[in-house]
PDB file of all heavy atoms in Angstrom:
ATOM      1  N   HIS A   1      58.691 120.560 193.018  1.00  0.00           N
ATOM      2  CA  HIS A   1      57.748 119.530 193.466  1.00  0.00           C
ATOM      3  C   HIS A   1      58.217 118.117 193.124  1.00  0.00           C
ATOM      4  O   HIS A   1      57.467 117.155 193.290  1.00  0.00           O
ATOM      5  CB  HIS A   1      56.372 119.776 192.855  1.00  0.00           C
ATOM      6  CG  HIS A   1      55.682 121.001 193.383  1.00  0.00           C
ATOM      7  ND1 HIS A   1      55.844 122.249 192.803  1.00  0.00           N
ATOM      8  CD2 HIS A   1      54.846 121.184 194.440  1.00  0.00           C
ATOM      9  CE1 HIS A   1      55.125 123.141 193.470  1.00  0.00           C
ATOM     10  NE2 HIS A   1      54.509 122.523 194.472  1.00  0.00           N
ATOM     11  N   GLY A   2      59.444 118.012 192.635  1.00  0.00           N
ATOM     12  CA  GLY A   2      59.996 116.694 192.346  1.00  0.00           C
ATOM     13  C   GLY A   2      59.339 115.983 191.188  1.00  0.00           C
ATOM     14  O   GLY A   2      59.368 114.745 191.114  1.00  0.00           O
ATOM     15  N   GLU A   3      58.762 116.726 190.271  1.00  0.00           N
ATOM     16  CA  GLU A   3      58.111 116.118 189.121  1.00  0.00           C
ATOM     17  C   GLU A   3      59.166 115.613 188.127  1.00  0.00           C
ATOM     18  O   GLU A   3      60.220 116.232 187.966  1.00  0.00           O
ATOM     19  CB  GLU A   3      57.213 117.133 188.412  1.00  0.00           C
ATOM     20  CG  GLU A   3      56.104 117.715 189.277  1.00  0.00           C
ATOM     21  CD  GLU A   3      55.032 116.697 189.578  1.00  0.00           C
ATOM     22  OE1 GLU A   3      54.964 115.668 188.874  1.00  0.00           O
ATOM     23  OE2 GLU A   3      54.253 116.926 190.524  1.00  0.00           O
ATOM     24  N   PRO A   4      58.899 114.505 187.448  1.00  0.00           N
ATOM     25  CA  PRO A   4      59.872 113.979 186.476  1.00  0.00           C
ATOM     26  C   PRO A   4      59.882 114.759 185.166  1.00  0.00           C
ATOM     27  O   PRO A   4      60.825 114.648 184.387  1.00  0.00           O
ATOM     28  CB  PRO A   4      59.392 112.543 186.245  1.00  0.00           C
ATOM     29  CG  PRO A   4      57.914 112.598 186.505  1.00  0.00           C
ATOM     30  CD  PRO A   4      57.738 113.603 187.621  1.00  0.00           C
ATOM     31  N   SER A   5      58.816 115.544 184.925  1.00  0.00           N
ATOM     32  CA  SER A   5      58.712 116.268 183.660  1.00  0.00           C
ATOM     33  C   SER A   5      57.833 117.493 183.851  1.00  0.00           C
ATOM     34  O   SER A   5      57.294 117.748 184.932  1.00  0.00           O
ATOM     35  CB  SER A   5      58.130 115.362 182.566  1.00  0.00           C
ATOM     36  OG  SER A   5      56.807 114.952 182.921  1.00  0.00           O
ATOM     37  N   TYR A   6      57.672 118.246 182.785  1.00  0.00           N
ATOM     38  CA  TYR A   6      56.835 119.440 182.798  1.00  0.00           C
ATOM     39  C   TYR A   6      56.284 119.646 181.387  1.00  0.00           C
ATOM     40  O   TYR A   6      56.798 119.074 180.422  1.00  0.00           O
ATOM     41  CB  TYR A   6      57.648 120.672 183.227  1.00  0.00           C
ATOM     42  CG  TYR A   6      58.818 120.957 182.320  1.00  0.00           C
ATOM     43  CD1 TYR A   6      58.674 121.741 181.173  1.00  0.00           C
ATOM     44  CD2 TYR A   6      60.079 120.413 182.588  1.00  0.00           C
ATOM     45  CE1 TYR A   6      59.750 121.970 180.321  1.00  0.00           C
ATOM     46  CE2 TYR A   6      61.157 120.648 181.749  1.00  0.00           C
ATOM     47  CZ  TYR A   6      60.982 121.424 180.621  1.00  0.00           C
ATOM     48  OH  TYR A   6      62.044 121.643 179.773  1.00  0.00           O
ATOM     49  N   GLU A   7      55.265 120.463 181.270  1.00  0.00           N
ATOM     50  CA  GLU A   7      54.753 120.821 179.948  1.00  0.00           C
ATOM     51  C   GLU A   7      54.059 122.172 180.026  1.00  0.00           C
ATOM     52  O   GLU A   7      53.548 122.564 181.079  1.00  0.00           O
ATOM     53  CB  GLU A   7      53.815 119.763 179.385  1.00  0.00           C
ATOM     54  CG  GLU A   7      52.507 119.574 180.131  1.00  0.00           C
ATOM     55  CD  GLU A   7      51.630 118.538 179.439  1.00  0.00           C
ATOM     56  OE1 GLU A   7      52.002 117.348 179.441  1.00  0.00           O
ATOM     57  OE2 GLU A   7      50.568 118.944 178.882  1.00  0.00           O
ATOM     58  N   PHE A   8      54.079 122.879 178.917  1.00  0.00           N
ATOM     59  CA  PHE A   8      53.410 124.165 178.842  1.00  0.00           C
ATOM     60  C   PHE A   8      53.209 124.534 177.376  1.00  0.00           C
ATOM     61  O   PHE A   8      53.805 123.929 176.478  1.00  0.00           O
ATOM     62  CB  PHE A   8      54.203 125.267 179.557  1.00  0.00           C
ATOM     63  CG  PHE A   8      55.621 125.432 179.080  1.00  0.00           C
ATOM     64  CD1 PHE A   8      55.919 126.192 177.955  1.00  0.00           C
ATOM     65  CD2 PHE A   8      56.667 124.839 179.773  1.00  0.00           C
ATOM     66  CE1 PHE A   8      57.232 126.339 177.528  1.00  0.00           C
ATOM     67  CE2 PHE A   8      57.983 124.984 179.355  1.00  0.00           C
ATOM     68  CZ  PHE A   8      58.263 125.736 178.224  1.00  0.00           C
ATOM     69  N   VAL A   9      52.376 125.532 177.147  1.00  0.00           N
ATOM     70  CA  VAL A   9      52.130 126.076 175.808  1.00  0.00           C
ATOM     71  C   VAL A   9      52.603 127.515 175.799  1.00  0.00           C
ATOM     72  O   VAL A   9      52.343 128.272 176.741  1.00  0.00           O
ATOM     73  CB  VAL A   9      50.630 126.006 175.447  1.00  0.00           C
ATOM     74  CG1 VAL A   9      50.356 126.754 174.143  1.00  0.00           C
ATOM     75  CG2 VAL A   9      50.177 124.561 175.334  1.00  0.00           C
ATOM     76  N   CYS A  10      53.309 127.908 174.743  1.00  0.00           N
ATOM     77  CA  CYS A  10      53.814 129.272 174.672  1.00  0.00           C
ATOM     78  C   CYS A  10      54.017 129.680 173.211  1.00  0.00           C
ATOM     79  O   CYS A  10      54.123 128.819 172.336  1.00  0.00           O
ATOM     80  CB  CYS A  10      55.129 129.408 175.443  1.00  0.00           C
ATOM     81  SG  CYS A  10      56.541 128.612 174.645  1.00  0.00           S
ATOM     82  N   PRO A  11      54.087 130.981 172.944  1.00  0.00           N
ATOM     83  CA  PRO A  11      54.421 131.429 171.593  1.00  0.00           C
ATOM     84  C   PRO A  11      55.916 131.283 171.346  1.00  0.00           C
ATOM     85  O   PRO A  11      56.720 131.352 172.276  1.00  0.00           O
ATOM     86  CB  PRO A  11      54.009 132.905 171.599  1.00  0.00           C
ATOM     87  CG  PRO A  11      54.137 133.318 173.024  1.00  0.00           C
ATOM     88  CD  PRO A  11      53.778 132.105 173.844  1.00  0.00           C
ATOM     89  N   MET A  12      56.309 131.062 170.097  1.00  0.00           N
ATOM     90  CA  MET A  12      57.724 130.991 169.737  1.00  0.00           C
ATOM     91  C   MET A  12      57.968 131.913 168.548  1.00  0.00           C
ATOM     92  O   MET A  12      57.311 131.776 167.516  1.00  0.00           O
ATOM     93  CB  MET A  12      58.129 129.564 169.364  1.00  0.00           C
ATOM     94  CG  MET A  12      59.635 129.413 169.142  1.00  0.00           C
ATOM     95  SD  MET A  12      60.130 127.727 168.695  1.00  0.00           S
ATOM     96  CE  MET A  12      59.872 127.780 166.918  1.00  0.00           C
ATOM     97  N   PRO A  13      58.879 132.877 168.689  1.00  0.00           N
ATOM     98  CA  PRO A  13      59.173 133.761 167.556  1.00  0.00           C
ATOM     99  C   PRO A  13      59.807 132.986 166.414  1.00  0.00           C
ATOM    100  O   PRO A  13      60.503 131.991 166.623  1.00  0.00           O
ATOM    101  CB  PRO A  13      60.150 134.782 168.150  1.00  0.00           C
ATOM    102  CG  PRO A  13      60.771 134.087 169.322  1.00  0.00           C
ATOM    103  CD  PRO A  13      59.706 133.177 169.865  1.00  0.00           C
ATOM    104  N   VAL A  14      59.570 133.457 165.210  1.00  0.00           N
ATOM    105  CA  VAL A  14      60.105 132.838 164.008  1.00  0.00           C
ATOM    106  C   VAL A  14      60.848 133.904 163.208  1.00  0.00           C
ATOM    107  O   VAL A  14      60.446 135.069 163.188  1.00  0.00           O
ATOM    108  CB  VAL A  14      58.971 132.219 163.149  1.00  0.00           C
ATOM    109  CG1 VAL A  14      59.518 131.660 161.847  1.00  0.00           C
ATOM    110  CG2 VAL A  14      58.254 131.135 163.934  1.00  0.00           C
ATOM    111  N   LYS A  15      61.917 133.512 162.580  1.00  0.00           N
ATOM    112  CA  LYS A  15      62.706 134.450 161.786  1.00  0.00           C
ATOM    113  C   LYS A  15      61.808 135.185 160.788  1.00  0.00           C
ATOM    114  O   LYS A  15      61.019 134.567 160.102  1.00  0.00           O
ATOM    115  CB  LYS A  15      63.812 133.701 161.035  1.00  0.00           C
ATOM    116  CG  LYS A  15      64.743 134.610 160.229  1.00  0.00           C
ATOM    117  CD  LYS A  15      65.819 133.802 159.528  1.00  0.00           C
ATOM    118  CE  LYS A  15      66.765 134.700 158.756  1.00  0.00           C
ATOM    119  NZ  LYS A  15      67.818 133.934 158.035  1.00  0.00           N
ATOM    120  N   GLY A  16      61.934 136.496 160.751  1.00  0.00           N
ATOM    121  CA  GLY A  16      61.107 137.289 159.862  1.00  0.00           C
ATOM    122  C   GLY A  16      60.057 138.099 160.588  1.00  0.00           C
ATOM    123  O   GLY A  16      59.395 138.947 159.997  1.00  0.00           O
ATOM    124  N   GLY A  17      59.859 137.811 161.902  1.00  0.00           N
ATOM    125  CA  GLY A  17      58.948 138.635 162.689  1.00  0.00           C
ATOM    126  C   GLY A  17      57.631 138.001 163.064  1.00  0.00           C
ATOM    127  O   GLY A  17      56.878 138.571 163.853  1.00  0.00           O
ATOM    128  N   SER A  18      57.305 136.826 162.519  1.00  0.00           N
ATOM    129  CA  SER A  18      56.051 136.174 162.889  1.00  0.00           C
ATOM    130  C   SER A  18      56.278 135.283 164.106  1.00  0.00           C
ATOM    131  O   SER A  18      57.351 135.285 164.709  1.00  0.00           O
ATOM    132  CB  SER A  18      55.503 135.363 161.714  1.00  0.00           C
ATOM    133  OG  SER A  18      56.417 134.364 161.331  1.00  0.00           O
ATOM    134  N   ARG A  19      55.304 134.508 164.455  1.00  0.00           N
ATOM    135  CA  ARG A  19      55.438 133.590 165.586  1.00  0.00           C
ATOM    136  C   ARG A  19      54.522 132.391 165.373  1.00  0.00           C
ATOM    137  O   ARG A  19      53.570 132.450 164.589  1.00  0.00           O
ATOM    138  CB  ARG A  19      55.091 134.279 166.910  1.00  0.00           C
ATOM    139  CG  ARG A  19      53.605 134.580 167.069  1.00  0.00           C
ATOM    140  CD  ARG A  19      53.288 135.191 168.404  1.00  0.00           C
ATOM    141  NE  ARG A  19      51.856 135.451 168.524  1.00  0.00           N
ATOM    142  CZ  ARG A  19      51.296 136.040 169.570  1.00  0.00           C
ATOM    143  NH1 ARG A  19      52.023 136.434 170.579  1.00  0.00           N
ATOM    144  NH2 ARG A  19      49.978 136.235 169.618  1.00  0.00           N
ATOM    145  N   ILE A  20      54.826 131.325 166.082  1.00  0.00           N
ATOM    146  CA  ILE A  20      53.961 130.161 166.109  1.00  0.00           C
ATOM    147  C   ILE A  20      53.676 129.823 167.572  1.00  0.00           C
ATOM    148  O   ILE A  20      54.293 130.393 168.478  1.00  0.00           O
ATOM    149  CB  ILE A  20      54.615 128.941 165.405  1.00  0.00           C
ATOM    150  CG1 ILE A  20      55.916 128.528 166.125  1.00  0.00           C
ATOM    151  CG2 ILE A  20      54.876 129.240 163.938  1.00  0.00           C
ATOM    152  CD1 ILE A  20      56.535 127.256 165.593  1.00  0.00           C
ATOM    153  N   TRP A  21      52.737 128.920 167.777  1.00  0.00           N
ATOM    154  CA  TRP A  21      52.445 128.443 169.130  1.00  0.00           C
ATOM    155  C   TRP A  21      52.929 126.999 169.247  1.00  0.00           C
ATOM    156  O   TRP A  21      52.712 126.197 168.335  1.00  0.00           O
ATOM    157  CB  TRP A  21      50.949 128.517 169.422  1.00  0.00           C
ATOM    158  CG  TRP A  21      50.491 129.911 169.687  1.00  0.00           C
ATOM    159  CD1 TRP A  21      50.057 130.826 168.774  1.00  0.00           C
ATOM    160  CD2 TRP A  21      50.444 130.563 170.960  1.00  0.00           C
ATOM    161  NE1 TRP A  21      49.747 132.018 169.390  1.00  0.00           N
ATOM    162  CE2 TRP A  21      49.963 131.882 170.728  1.00  0.00           C
ATOM    163  CE3 TRP A  21      50.747 130.166 172.263  1.00  0.00           C
ATOM    164  CZ2 TRP A  21      49.793 132.799 171.771  1.00  0.00           C
ATOM    165  CZ3 TRP A  21      50.576 131.084 173.299  1.00  0.00           C
ATOM    166  CH2 TRP A  21      50.098 132.380 173.052  1.00  0.00           C
ATOM    167  N   ILE A  22      53.595 126.696 170.346  1.00  0.00           N
ATOM    168  CA  ILE A  22      54.143 125.360 170.540  1.00  0.00           C
ATOM    169  C   ILE A  22      53.723 124.783 171.889  1.00  0.00           C
ATOM    170  O   ILE A  22      53.510 125.521 172.855  1.00  0.00           O
ATOM    171  CB  ILE A  22      55.690 125.353 170.445  1.00  0.00           C
ATOM    172  CG1 ILE A  22      56.298 126.303 171.484  1.00  0.00           C
ATOM    173  CG2 ILE A  22      56.140 125.720 169.038  1.00  0.00           C
ATOM    174  CD1 ILE A  22      57.822 126.256 171.549  1.00  0.00           C
ATOM    175  N   LYS A  23      53.588 123.468 171.910  1.00  0.00           N
ATOM    176  CA  LYS A  23      53.396 122.745 173.170  1.00  0.00           C
ATOM    177  C   LYS A  23      54.716 122.077 173.498  1.00  0.00           C
ATOM    178  O   LYS A  23      55.253 121.312 172.695  1.00  0.00           O
ATOM    179  CB  LYS A  23      52.296 121.694 173.056  1.00  0.00           C
ATOM    180  CG  LYS A  23      52.099 120.905 174.360  1.00  0.00           C
ATOM    181  CD  LYS A  23      50.979 119.885 174.247  1.00  0.00           C
ATOM    182  CE  LYS A  23      50.810 119.134 175.566  1.00  0.00           C
ATOM    183  NZ  LYS A  23      49.742 118.125 175.473  1.00  0.00           N
ATOM    184  N   VAL A  24      55.254 122.388 174.675  1.00  0.00           N
ATOM    185  CA  VAL A  24      56.569 121.895 175.083  1.00  0.00           C
ATOM    186  C   VAL A  24      56.412 120.858 176.189  1.00  0.00           C
ATOM    187  O   VAL A  24      55.682 121.071 177.156  1.00  0.00           O
ATOM    188  CB  VAL A  24      57.461 123.047 175.591  1.00  0.00           C
ATOM    189  CG1 VAL A  24      58.835 122.528 176.001  1.00  0.00           C
ATOM    190  CG2 VAL A  24      57.591 124.132 174.532  1.00  0.00           C
ATOM    191  N   VAL A  25      57.095 119.729 176.035  1.00  0.00           N
ATOM    192  CA  VAL A  25      57.155 118.704 177.072  1.00  0.00           C
ATOM    193  C   VAL A  25      58.628 118.440 177.363  1.00  0.00           C
ATOM    194  O   VAL A  25      59.388 118.083 176.462  1.00  0.00           O
ATOM    195  CB  VAL A  25      56.465 117.390 176.639  1.00  0.00           C
ATOM    196  CG1 VAL A  25      56.596 116.337 177.742  1.00  0.00           C
ATOM    197  CG2 VAL A  25      55.005 117.641 176.304  1.00  0.00           C
ATOM    198  N   GLY A  26      59.024 118.659 178.604  1.00  0.00           N
ATOM    199  CA  GLY A  26      60.414 118.454 178.988  1.00  0.00           C
ATOM    200  C   GLY A  26      60.548 117.343 180.014  1.00  0.00           C
ATOM    201  O   GLY A  26      59.662 117.152 180.851  1.00  0.00           O
ATOM    202  N   THR A  27      61.644 116.614 179.946  1.00  0.00           N
ATOM    203  CA  THR A  27      61.891 115.506 180.872  1.00  0.00           C
ATOM    204  C   THR A  27      63.254 115.694 181.529  1.00  0.00           C
ATOM    205  O   THR A  27      64.262 115.898 180.839  1.00  0.00           O
ATOM    206  CB  THR A  27      61.868 114.151 180.136  1.00  0.00           C
ATOM    207  OG1 THR A  27      60.602 113.995 179.479  1.00  0.00           O
ATOM    208  CG2 THR A  27      62.069 113.003 181.118  1.00  0.00           C
ATOM    209  N   PHE A  28      63.279 115.643 182.849  1.00  0.00           N
ATOM    210  CA  PHE A  28      64.542 115.750 183.583  1.00  0.00           C
ATOM    211  C   PHE A  28      65.298 114.427 183.494  1.00  0.00           C
ATOM    212  O   PHE A  28      64.689 113.352 183.430  1.00  0.00           O
ATOM    213  CB  PHE A  28      64.286 116.101 185.050  1.00  0.00           C
ATOM    214  CG  PHE A  28      63.531 117.397 185.231  1.00  0.00           C
ATOM    215  CD1 PHE A  28      62.239 117.406 185.729  1.00  0.00           C
ATOM    216  CD2 PHE A  28      64.114 118.612 184.898  1.00  0.00           C
ATOM    217  CE1 PHE A  28      61.542 118.581 185.894  1.00  0.00           C
ATOM    218  CE2 PHE A  28      63.430 119.802 185.062  1.00  0.00           C
ATOM    219  CZ  PHE A  28      62.135 119.789 185.562  1.00  0.00           C
ATOM    220  N   THR A  29      66.606 114.500 183.468  1.00  0.00           N
ATOM    221  CA  THR A  29      67.426 113.289 183.402  1.00  0.00           C
ATOM    222  C   THR A  29      68.505 113.337 184.483  1.00  0.00           C
ATOM    223  O   THR A  29      68.704 114.359 185.141  1.00  0.00           O
ATOM    224  CB  THR A  29      68.122 113.175 182.021  1.00  0.00           C
ATOM    225  OG1 THR A  29      69.189 114.143 181.957  1.00  0.00           O
ATOM    226  CG2 THR A  29      67.151 113.416 180.887  1.00  0.00           C
ATOM    227  N   LYS A  30      69.185 112.209 184.650  1.00  0.00           N
ATOM    228  CA  LYS A  30      70.322 112.149 185.569  1.00  0.00           C
ATOM    229  C   LYS A  30      71.634 112.478 184.857  1.00  0.00           C
ATOM    230  O   LYS A  30      72.692 112.504 185.461  1.00  0.00           O
ATOM    231  CB  LYS A  30      70.404 110.758 186.204  1.00  0.00           C
ATOM    232  CG  LYS A  30      69.209 110.419 187.096  1.00  0.00           C
ATOM    233  CD  LYS A  30      69.356 109.046 187.725  1.00  0.00           C
ATOM    234  CE  LYS A  30      68.166 108.737 188.633  1.00  0.00           C
ATOM    235  NZ  LYS A  30      68.276 107.381 189.259  1.00  0.00           N
ATOM    236  N   GLU A  31      71.513 112.718 183.557  1.00  0.00           N
ATOM    237  CA  GLU A  31      72.690 113.051 182.757  1.00  0.00           C
ATOM    238  C   GLU A  31      73.165 114.465 183.075  1.00  0.00           C
ATOM    239  O   GLU A  31      72.355 115.378 183.310  1.00  0.00           O
ATOM    240  CB  GLU A  31      72.334 112.939 181.272  1.00  0.00           C
ATOM    241  CG  GLU A  31      73.484 113.200 180.326  1.00  0.00           C
ATOM    242  CD  GLU A  31      73.058 113.098 178.865  1.00  0.00           C
ATOM    243  OE1 GLU A  31      71.930 112.633 178.617  1.00  0.00           O
ATOM    244  OE2 GLU A  31      73.852 113.489 177.992  1.00  0.00           O
ATOM    245  N   THR A  32      74.463 114.659 183.083  1.00  0.00           N
ATOM    246  CA  THR A  32      75.038 115.982 183.309  1.00  0.00           C
ATOM    247  C   THR A  32      76.156 116.245 182.310  1.00  0.00           C
ATOM    248  O   THR A  32      76.754 115.312 181.763  1.00  0.00           O
ATOM    249  CB  THR A  32      75.614 116.121 184.730  1.00  0.00           C
ATOM    250  OG1 THR A  32      76.673 115.171 184.913  1.00  0.00           O
ATOM    251  CG2 THR A  32      74.540 115.912 185.794  1.00  0.00           C
ATOM    252  N   VAL A  33      76.416 117.516 182.079  1.00  0.00           N
ATOM    253  CA  VAL A  33      77.553 117.950 181.267  1.00  0.00           C
ATOM    254  C   VAL A  33      78.323 118.968 182.099  1.00  0.00           C
ATOM    255  O   VAL A  33      77.809 120.042 182.405  1.00  0.00           O
ATOM    256  CB  VAL A  33      77.091 118.578 179.938  1.00  0.00           C
ATOM    257  CG1 VAL A  33      78.291 119.157 179.183  1.00  0.00           C
ATOM    258  CG2 VAL A  33      76.369 117.558 179.081  1.00  0.00           C
ATOM    259  N   GLU A  34      79.530 118.588 182.499  1.00  0.00           N
ATOM    260  CA  GLU A  34      80.353 119.427 183.373  1.00  0.00           C
ATOM    261  C   GLU A  34      79.573 119.832 184.623  1.00  0.00           C
ATOM    262  O   GLU A  34      79.616 120.987 185.076  1.00  0.00           O
ATOM    263  CB  GLU A  34      80.851 120.658 182.623  1.00  0.00           C
ATOM    264  CG  GLU A  34      81.763 120.314 181.445  1.00  0.00           C
ATOM    265  CD  GLU A  34      82.288 121.558 180.738  1.00  0.00           C
ATOM    266  OE1 GLU A  34      81.846 122.671 181.094  1.00  0.00           O
ATOM    267  OE2 GLU A  34      83.135 121.413 179.835  1.00  0.00           O
ATOM    268  N   GLY A  35      78.832 118.876 185.151  1.00  0.00           N
ATOM    269  CA  GLY A  35      78.088 119.096 186.392  1.00  0.00           C
ATOM    270  C   GLY A  35      76.739 119.752 186.235  1.00  0.00           C
ATOM    271  O   GLY A  35      76.014 119.925 187.216  1.00  0.00           O
ATOM    272  N   ILE A  36      76.363 120.127 185.006  1.00  0.00           N
ATOM    273  CA  ILE A  36      75.081 120.795 184.767  1.00  0.00           C
ATOM    274  C   ILE A  36      74.066 119.775 184.268  1.00  0.00           C
ATOM    275  O   ILE A  36      74.338 119.052 183.301  1.00  0.00           O
ATOM    276  CB  ILE A  36      75.227 121.934 183.735  1.00  0.00           C
ATOM    277  CG1 ILE A  36      76.269 122.942 184.205  1.00  0.00           C
ATOM    278  CG2 ILE A  36      73.883 122.618 183.507  1.00  0.00           C
ATOM    279  CD1 ILE A  36      76.554 124.035 183.196  1.00  0.00           C
ATOM    280  N   PRO A  37      72.880 119.678 184.901  1.00  0.00           N
ATOM    281  CA  PRO A  37      71.872 118.695 184.481  1.00  0.00           C
ATOM    282  C   PRO A  37      71.426 118.912 183.046  1.00  0.00           C
ATOM    283  O   PRO A  37      71.453 120.026 182.517  1.00  0.00           O
ATOM    284  CB  PRO A  37      70.717 118.936 185.458  1.00  0.00           C
ATOM    285  CG  PRO A  37      71.341 119.608 186.641  1.00  0.00           C
ATOM    286  CD  PRO A  37      72.458 120.443 186.088  1.00  0.00           C
ATOM    287  N   VAL A  38      70.986 117.815 182.425  1.00  0.00           N
ATOM    288  CA  VAL A  38      70.511 117.840 181.046  1.00  0.00           C
ATOM    289  C   VAL A  38      69.013 117.562 181.022  1.00  0.00           C
ATOM    290  O   VAL A  38      68.516 116.696 181.751  1.00  0.00           O
ATOM    291  CB  VAL A  38      71.257 116.795 180.189  1.00  0.00           C
ATOM    292  CG1 VAL A  38      70.622 116.678 178.806  1.00  0.00           C
ATOM    293  CG2 VAL A  38      72.728 117.161 180.071  1.00  0.00           C
TER     294      VAL A  38
END
């Protein structure tokens, strides 16, 4: 949809077998590494 960013909430595993909940916010950039977007 051509959005500049995204966000979501999800569980994240933690070493030892437990987990936490995180809110993730990601931003697309024009930067690339060997042709792969960052």
Side-chain angles (χ1 to χ4, degrees):
H1 291 89
E3 300 289 343
S5 62
Y6 60 87
E7 66 177 68
F8 55 83
V9 172
C10 72
M12 187 180 86
V14 176
K15 183 179 181 181
S18 60
R19 71 177 181 183
I20 62 174
W21 284 89
I22 58 174
K23 179 179 181 181
V24 181
V25 178
T27 303
F28 301 112
T29 73
K30 295 181 179 179
E31 183 181 350
T32 62
V33 174
E34 297 182 354
I36 303 175
V38 172

